[in-house]
Amino acid sequence: MNIADLRKSYEKAELNENASHADPLKQFEQWLQEAMAAEVPEPNAMTLATVSSQLRPSTRVVLIKGCDERGIVWYTNYESQKGQELAGNPFAALQFHWVELERVVRIEGRVEKVSTEESDAYFHSRPLDSRIGAWASPQSQVIDGRTVLVTNAAKYAAQFMLQPPRPPHWGGFRLVPDRWEFWQGRKSRLHDRLRYTPDASGWLRERLAP
């Protein structure tokens, strides 16, 4: 089948100004809870887009680990490609795509590191293998083969036993949103799009043409 001929009619729900929250965080939390309740695959997965010093964009999928009025949190290796790009350009975009619900959420804003205490607390809540893995993987670097990872994991497991500390190069990022967009698929490609941007009273909610 020609991929150009692939079509889908979006007819599951609607999104309007009267039924949506005035606070985008509340709208996001509602949609995230609905995605989890619907048991969509990995509802916590989000695409993270960053831009390098050469102005080249790149994306990857990461997992949300927290959200509140301060922003959206995920954890990673600070020396990875995304970590280095965020160090040079601390602005990013996130996207959630819940295919089964015909919904997309886009979030943009400035990125900052979370506190040492937050990174420590989350790191020590992870399974032991994941904590060892944070030491074993020189993320985004070229390696000779999988043997490098396996050897590193064995080395750090023997060194730290059951109490690996948080690596100094590993921790959390928080995106502080200054733009939210909620997209609900609709029939005939007349989709619903609501954008939230800051204003003097909190958030300005506007409808965008699809």
Side-chain angles (χ1 to χ4, degrees), residues 76-144:
T76 190
N77 186 318
Y78 289 141
E79 296 176 354
S80 65
Q81 179 181 346
K82 56 185 172 295
Q84 294 183 40
E85 290 180 351
L86 288 170
N89 177 20
F91 291 89
L94 301 171
Q95 178 173 289
F96 292 83
H97 187 192
W98 297 309
V99 177
E100 292 77 6
L101 300 180
E102 301 173 352
R103 288 174 173 173
V104 173
V105 181
R106 298 172 57 220
I107 312 167
E108 299 175 10
R110 185 178 182 88
V111 177
E112 61 190 22
K113 289 182 178 180
V114 307
S115 68
T116 297
E117 291 76 16
E118 288 176 277
S119 289
D120 284 342
Y122 176 69
F123 182 80
H124 291 295
S125 74
R126 304 178 84 206
L128 178 60
D129 287 351
S130 296
R131 284 178 279 153
I132 293 296
W135 284 96
S137 174
Q139 194 173 111
S140 300
Q141 296 181 26
V142 175
I143 58 176
D144 291 334

Side-chain angles (χ1 to χ4, degrees), residues 22-34:
D23 183 341
L25 176 62
K26 293 185 182 300
Q27 184 64 38
F28 173 72
E29 290 175 333
Q30 176 185 325
W31 273 20
L32 178 59
Q33 289 296 323
E34 290 175 359

Side-chain angles (χ1 to χ4, degrees), residues 151-210:
T151 301
N152 285 350
K155 178 183 73 172
Y156 288 113
Q159 178 179 341
F160 296 127
M161 303 299 286
L162 299 178
Q163 299 296 328
R166 177 174 66 87
H169 56 265
W170 190 98
F173 281 114
R174 175 180 288 109
L175 183 141
V176 182
D178 57 22
R179 174 177 172 140
W180 299 74
E181 183 183 320
F182 297 85
W183 180 96
Q184 177 70 63
R186 297 295 300 275
K187 189 175 181 179
S188 302
R189 294 299 186 266
L190 300 179
H191 310 304
D192 291 328
R193 293 175 65 191
L194 295 184
R195 179 182 66 186
Y196 294 74
T197 52
D199 69 1
S201 62
W203 291 94
L204 173 64
R205 178 177 45 188
E206 300 173 297
R207 177 173 286 269
L208 302 180

